[in-house]
């Protein structure tokens, strides 16, 4: 045989000889029990906790969502401050287009017929004056209402304040009605249409479920107990589910989250994917550690007078902003997470023999016998002996 | 030697003696083949599926995104119901500021010169009346249009209905034009600017790619086949890519999703991160199991009459809301997922000897020989024998 | 004994006999060291990198968030183009309701008293004409401003252009002021209220932290160094933190991201969960490869003339859109990721003996001795010999 052939054969041997550990079988019932029991525990953990409870064999994906909302209802107000007014959706829903976030006006401070002109400041520690020297031309105090003209004028018969350039008359927002103007808003309803997608799984769904027909939709109203699938919500119900009183929130405004949870198990044997609604107040209602509690903003309606001059109606709008927040994670059987989790569990199975060996070599009566058969201590004597035995030993 | 020194030496032995399994090498080609083959399968799975297909060695991050949109185009309408009108962006895009969600008005029911006053209800089963007894003062039926005054008045020469306090004249929204008013909207274009960030990888990108110059941007128009990188979209093209006919959707309104997929492989050897556009209809177009199909909302333009009275033009706006939905997951090589996935694969490698042992001990001709050499059965005889052999056995 | 009993006993043996590998203990200090060292390295990696640095033992969840914003400040403008004007929040913040995205107007091109009528086109290569033949009735060029009437009329004393039906007079948006109109907007402040939830961990928090009281909130202003927890931001500060000059951005507009990072470690021993603010410019400011740099949009205010005709004021609004982007991932100890990561690490521990065996059998002086004791080569001789020894061998 040539050298190359030799080398080849050696390599082949190296590649295709199978090396397997020598083992010792011990017919001890106790040790066997410990062995099978620990194995069982690991398997139970994997099957029970990882697979059934945590569903770790699943791939996950996050939801993407689109929401449209439509409020219905009208109200009639008749207070001493204002003319009797009829309010419909176009008047009290801002912005009007029914996005995932919509605002329902419930209270307001309205300042009509404002024009760009001059008027005395609202009285306050930094705005009252005795004569023109107390006012500075061009001063614009961030806490004030406009640019000072340098004049000190009569605010009322008793008080003098600096004159400002501003939209006049100035808004007096301390006169907030004590009862919400649109208290009737509690009976308004909102229809929420929500369509979601899990792009990784190409899964689409709408919150109007297949078994719902349009006659049901015309009369239903959401309730956790009786109508959990109805997408029409009474505003009062939303606010009370969030743990608040509607009239309280309506007075100063607030932000309520309508939370739609689309957590889904998309495996065919589970096959359930329904929206779950919950409601939370999102702003901080406690007046402590809070600037500007409640929720309000200012907007204006602009007009031209017959002479072509600009005039506006400034509205400080208090109300409830409803934020529809959609979240969710879908899980579906995936080969990679399954492999990873099984692999990790297998690693723990490889710990089982260590536990059993320890038990066998310390807790059984015949531990010396087992130890002698299992473990060969290569002592110096053995080395000397084996040396003399020569090279045939290996293939004995 | 003192006792402590003894104990120390024992401990050292315990820590630094190396315990290794005794093994048996079997020169059986078949068994060797099975061994190498199963090993190969596991390695192939790891390299091929986990690494190449699923890229499980990557850490992932979710996209955060900012979108601005700008619609261009104008239209001219000349129908019998209305005066000839010219429409530009400020007229038909709501809200105007070009957010990730914008609405293009395509059809409308306009009710001009509404004022807060009294008028007869629209005829219907619950609103027609014979005399004042059929109407209740103050009744506000949610399906009606206002607060009843208790009078029964002439709606037309033949029909009498209850009078209501409301914005009058009432909107008659059943007279929706049969052809979309702004049919020309199909030729409007929208420029979508989208900038995204993967915060974990500090990766920023815009949908206007580096190789695009401004002269191309001035004339291009998105098309999957010819201009897949152009960020300017013709509305008709968007709707038809979503599988719908523009004029159909324009009539009653709808919600179309412009979905930008920024799934990226950020490893330097991949280095490709482009936006992929797709288009879907997000609302339910089927009239069955659907309340208020299509998409519409009401808004009003407020005016003052020369006498200072409030008047408004109520517009029930039908149109297409385009929601730009940005999603994506970026992956980049990460040491932890690599370790976890390799570790899990290694666990499976440890299963290979089990398969081979089983094959060797059941399917080979010399299985008895192999079994005798590999496995030592510690029977009761052996125990008795070993007992008599004394303590020297262990180091033999 | 019956056959069934036999079979049962065999099965029991199979189940409860414990099979354990025979091992060889080698008292070689070097090999022991290599063994313990590689073990230590794996353990160090697991504890140090996976657990401490990457916190791979944690489950994660993504944030859901709600934002309200409120801008404060006013400005006074007095330019040659316009009447002196006073601006407050209702005038320059669009949309007014203080969502997560708000726009502050800083510059504008205003076109007053537009009416639906006819006027000459703005001069340009495709709109100038010599006589009516150059204009086409009904032509609506997307780059033009309206529908051509077919007439060629005087634009100025020297230029003739085609007449169009449009909102007239046409907007001339090339006359953008060279200095931002509302330069004073840099001193406006914005209060950002942000409440977040990690639904998986039922964890809620607001960006107004518990230790902040309302007197501090009345006077504080955000600064990374001195007031990192104050939720009130000066617009100039936001823009300069994003690396831009406010007046530059104000001129042509831009999009600035206010990024709130809520990455949290919710384990009780960590217990820190604060918002971290950062600021980035999100649009592309480079005029190269950019259409319509900056940020602007058109909106209109609609009026009725005393005669009842529609007129509008078109505003091309330039300004800064601030997008409040909330992101974050919370981690909390979870049993499944812990198990998976420990399991993967254990797999690597099972590699340690392979390394040591290789070291022992190649690098030590007594490698032949160790090899002889550890490995039994089952050669053909051995097979023959063992054949003759009969079946008693197995239990010897």
């Amino acid at each position: 045989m040539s050298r190359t052939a030799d080398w080849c054969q050696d390599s082949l041997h190296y590649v295709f000889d199978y090396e397997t550990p020598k083992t010792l079988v011990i017919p001890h019932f106790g040790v066997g029990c410990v062995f099978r029991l620990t194995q069982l525990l690991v398997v139970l953990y994997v099957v029970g906790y990882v697979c059934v409870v945590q569903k770790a064999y699943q791939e996950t994906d996050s939801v993407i969502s689109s929401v449209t909302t439509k409020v219905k209802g009208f109200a009639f107000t008749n207070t001493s401050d204002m003319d009797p007014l009829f309010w419909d959706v176009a008047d009290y829903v801002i912005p009007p287009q029914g996005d995932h976030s919509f605002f329902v006006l419930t209270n307001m401070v309205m300042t009509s017929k404002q024009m760009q002109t001059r008027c005395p400041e609202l009285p306050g520690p930094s705005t009252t004056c005795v004569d023109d020297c107390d006012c500075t031309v061009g001063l614009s105090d961030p806490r004030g209402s406009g640019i000072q003209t340098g004049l000190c004028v009569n605010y009322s018969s008793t008080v003098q304040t600096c004159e400002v350039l501003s939209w006049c008359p100035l808004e007096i927002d301390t006169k907030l009605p004590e009862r919400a103007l649109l208290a009737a808003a509690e009976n308004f309803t909102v229809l929420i249409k929500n369509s979601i997608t899990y792009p990784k799984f190409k899964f689409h769904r709408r919150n109007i479920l297949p078994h719902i027909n349009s006659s049901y939709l015309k009369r239903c109203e959401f309730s956790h107990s009786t109508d959990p699938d109805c997408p029409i919500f009474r505003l009062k119900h939303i606010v009370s589910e969030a743990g608040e009183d509607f009239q309280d929130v309506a007075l100063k405004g607030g932000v309520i989250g309508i939370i739609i949870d689309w957590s889904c198990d998309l495996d065919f044997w589970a096959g359930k994917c329904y929206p779950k609604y919950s409601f939370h107040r999102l702003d901080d209602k406690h007046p402590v550690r809070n600037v500007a509690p409640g929720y309000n903003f200012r907007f204006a309606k602009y007009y031209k007078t017959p002479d072509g001059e600009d005039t506006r109606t400034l509205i400080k709008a208090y109300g409830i902003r409803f934020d529809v927040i959609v979240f969710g994670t879908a899980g579906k059987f995936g080969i990679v997470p399954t492999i990873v989790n099984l692999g990790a569990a297998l690693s723990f199975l490889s710990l089982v023999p260590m536990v059993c060996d320890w038990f066998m070599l310390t807790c059984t009566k015949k531990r010396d016998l087992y130890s002698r058969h299992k473990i060969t201590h290569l002592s110096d004597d053995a080395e000397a002996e084996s040396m003399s035995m020569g090279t045939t030993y290996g293939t004995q």
Side-chain angles (χ1 to χ4, degrees), chain A:
Chain A
M1 274 188 282
S2 74
R3 265 201 122 118
T4 325
D6 254 20
W7 182 86
C8 273
Q9 211 178 15
D10 275 14
S11 297
L12 270 177
H13 264 291
Y14 185 76
V15 172
F16 286 105
D17 281 2
Y18 176 56
E19 189 170 349
T20 180
K22 287 186 173 182
T23 58
L24 177 74
V25 174
I26 291 171
H28 187 284
F29 185 75
V31 174
C33 278
V34 168
F35 179 58
R36 293 297 168 192
L37 206 74
T38 45
Q39 267 189 339
L40 195 76
L41 280 177
V42 171
V43 169
L44 270 186
Y45 157 77
V46 172
V47 173
Y49 190 75
V50 177
C51 292
V52 177
V53 179
Q54 295 279 347
K55 304 213 167 107
Y57 57 85
Q58 291 187 327
E59 283 183 297
T60 58
D61 193 14
S62 289
V63 75
I64 60 177
S65 139
S66 166
V67 173
T68 66
T69 54
K70 193 162 199 175
V71 180
K72 276 204 172 163
F74 48 79
F76 185 75
T77 60
N78 196 354
T79 60
S80 52
D81 305 339
M82 267 189 271
D83 296 333
L85 275 177
F86 174 81
W87 298 80
D88 69 5
V89 170
D91 299 320
Y92 63 73
V93 173
I94 304 160
Q97 70 267 15
D99 223 325
H100 67 275
S101 173
F102 62 98
F103 171 84
V104 175
L105 184 128
T106 55
N107 209 355
M108 60 192 285
V109 173
M110 193 152 100
T111 315
S112 297
K113 292 173 194 159
Q114 284 193 325
M115 295 185 78
Q116 298 260 358
T117 174
R118 296 155 171 240
C119 49
E121 260 280 17
L122 301 178
S126 64
T127 55
T128 45
C129 56
V130 178
D131 59 26
D132 293 357
C133 304
D134 297 340
C135 305
T136 319
V137 185
L139 179 77
S140 89
D141 179 8
R143 262 150 305 182
S145 314
I147 317 288
Q148 294 194 3
T149 59
L151 300 180
C152 185
V153 295
N154 286 334
Y155 178 77
S156 63
S157 54
T158 54
V159 183
Q160 278 196 316
T161 59
C162 292
E163 196 192 47
V164 287
L165 267 173
S166 186
W167 285 101
C168 292
L170 298 178
E171 180 194 73
I172 305 167
D173 67 353
T174 49
K175 286 203 306 178
L176 185 68
E178 278 176 35
R179 193 160 174 278
L181 187 71
L182 266 82
E186 65 181 24
N187 285 320
F188 297 169
T189 56
V190 58
L191 163 67
I192 298 176
K193 293 192 200 171
N194 175 216
S195 75
I196 59 117
T197 303
Y198 285 108
K200 198 193 275 178
F201 306 127
K202 303 207 181 306
F203 181 86
H204 305 271
R205 186 148 285 193
R206 292 194 174 83
N207 69 332
I208 300 176
L209 300 171
H211 67 265
I212 289 180
N213 58 36
S214 74
S215 71
Y216 173 73
L217 280 175
K218 281 213 175 79
R219 58 175 176 77
C220 78
E221 198 180 297
F222 177 84
S223 153
H224 270 301
S225 50
T226 60
D227 294 81
D229 295 339
C230 177
I232 297 167
F233 303 81
R234 190 167 292 268
L235 298 196
K236 186 183 186 175
H237 185 75
I238 293 175
V239 176
S240 73
E241 285 276 321
E244 304 286 332
D245 177 66
F246 189 90
Q247 296 304 334
D248 269 11
V249 182
L251 192 65
K252 287 267 188 172
V255 184
I256 305 279
I258 300 170
I259 293 155
I260 308 183
D261 179 0
W262 276 99
S263 296
C264 286
D265 184 346
L266 298 182
D267 286 318
F268 70 90
W269 56 84
K272 279 176 187 169
C273 190
Y274 298 138
K276 278 172 286 297
Y277 302 95
S278 61
F279 310 93
H280 287 289
R281 181 160 192 175
L282 298 175
D283 64 321
D284 200 345
K285 65 173 172 172
H286 301 294
V288 187
R289 68 181 183 84
N290 205 345
V291 273
Y295 182 70
N296 62 71
F297 59 88
R298 284 182 181 85
F299 70 97
K301 294 174 186 170
Y302 295 88
Y303 307 103
K304 292 261 188 205
T305 62
D307 320 342
E309 279 188 284
D310 283 302
T311 171
R312 72 173 192 184
T313 298
L314 177 69
I315 293 159
K316 184 173 185 183
Y318 293 82
I320 307 179
R321 193 176 88 190
F322 294 91
D323 284 0
V324 181
I325 298 172
V326 180
F327 79 99
T329 308
K332 198 173 188 177
F333 175 82
I335 196 73
V336 168
T338 308
I339 293 287
V340 167
N341 280 284
L342 278 189
L346 276 177
S347 299
F348 284 91
L349 278 183
S350 75
L351 286 185
V352 170
M354 286 175 60
V355 173
C356 295
D357 284 355
W358 173 85
F359 176 80
M360 180 180 79
L361 298 177
T362 51
C363 304
T364 56
K365 265 199 292 186
K366 300 180 181 169
R367 54 180 175 265
D368 291 329
L369 170 74
Y370 297 156
S371 175
R372 278 200 311 275
H373 275 85
K374 178 175 164 61
I375 305 168
T376 311
H377 282 274
L378 199 68
S379 67
D380 295 337
D381 303 349
E383 289 180 34
E385 181 189 355
S386 64
M387 283 299 185
S388 66
M389 284 169 73
T391 53
T392 59
Y393 186 92
T395 56
Q396 195 178 29

